[in-house]
Amino acid sequence: MALWTRCGLVRPWNEPRGDVARALDGDASTILAGVDGGALVGTVMVGHDGHRGWLYYLAVTPDRRGEGLGRALVRAAEEWLRERGAPKIQLMVRDGNEAAIGFYESLGYSNQGVVVLGRFLDPELEARRRAGA
Ligand SMILES: CC(C)(COP(=O)(O)OP(=O)(O)OC[C@H]1O[C@@H](n2cnc3c(N)ncnc32)[C@H](O)[C@@H]1OP(=O)(O)O)[C@@H](O)C(=O)NCCC(=O)NCCS
């Protein structure tokens, strides 16, 4: 969670602790970690909803970027999904994160031409998101 915060992935309306617990509870999702010499250098959350595979919280610690760790994490997540029969993998990139789009495009990903609509089912989280939007 500290890595995600350092990498700018956490917003006031996010609950990373709950996300971690849900991702590690059950066999349809997990969090893959890149570890070097005992130190956490990167993560990716991966899950399969029965139709598509999803990636979340891809992060590489700032001082270890550009070494291929992000690519390795994405490829590991793809393999995790392939082993579970998921035909497709996708992810969301926040508006303004052009660097992430460039990164994913270099790995063969492309804009799927869809708009993602959503809202929190918890009114308090929805209010927090609207206040921070
Ligand atoms: C995105 C992120 C995970 C990339 O990690 P990384 O370890 O630096 O990436 P890699 O070194 O594995 O790069 C893989 C390839 O992507 C390319 N790439 C990386 N950023 C790029 C960019 N902005 N535009 C084009 N290509 C890019 C690299 O050049 C490399 O290709 P190459 O091997 O042919 O040179 C990292 O920058 C990060 O943690 N960012 C902050 C968190 C974030 O935005 N996550 C994504 C949320 S959707």
Side-chain angles (χ1 to χ4, degrees), residues 93-118:
V93 178
R94 284 198 182 100
D95 285 346
N97 195 350
E98 305 304 326
I101 293 175
F103 164 82
Y104 276 114
E105 284 178 344
S106 83
L107 268 60
Y109 288 67
S110 60
N111 186 325
Q112 300 293 293
V114 293
V115 174
V116 177
L117 305 181

Side-chain angles (χ1 to χ4, degrees), residues 30 32 44 76 81 89 97 113 120 125 131:
T30 195
L32 305 177
V44 64
L81 288 167
I89 183 169
N97 195 350
F120 283 98
L125 291 178

